[in-house]
Amino acid sequence: MSAAPDLSSQIQSLANSPAEVSGDAGSVKQRPVSELIEADRYLASKAAIANPLKGLRFAKIKPPGSV
């Protein structure tokens, strides 16, 4: 499975640019930043699920005073 693309730089550039631009040639409207943030969270969660042992750790706990 390929790695999820990092959208953080794209989200930052879109947050600094205008949402809608119009001119003689027409108008352009971009996706809302909230949709891009949701897409980034979704892709990050899919990448985390792809590795089944990444979020699971095993530890042997030995209380003090036990044999």
Side-chain angles (χ1 to χ4, degrees):
M1 180 174 229
S2 64
D6 185 25
L7 298 177
S8 59
S9 61
Q10 185 179 7
I11 291 170
Q12 184 177 8
S13 66
L14 287 175
N16 292 332
S17 64
E20 194 170 339
V21 177
S22 61
D24 293 339
S27 64
V28 175
K29 186 174 181 181
Q30 296 178 348
R31 292 190 182 273
V33 176
S34 60
E35 282 186 14
L36 294 173
I37 291 171
E38 286 182 38
D40 189 38
R41 285 183 186 156
Y42 173 74
L43 292 173
S45 68
K46 282 192 70 136
I49 291 172
N51 189 354
L53 298 177
K54 193 166 190 159
L56 184 63
R57 292 187 185 211
F58 295 99
K60 190 173 185 179
I61 300 173
K62 189 174 179 183
S66 66
V67 176

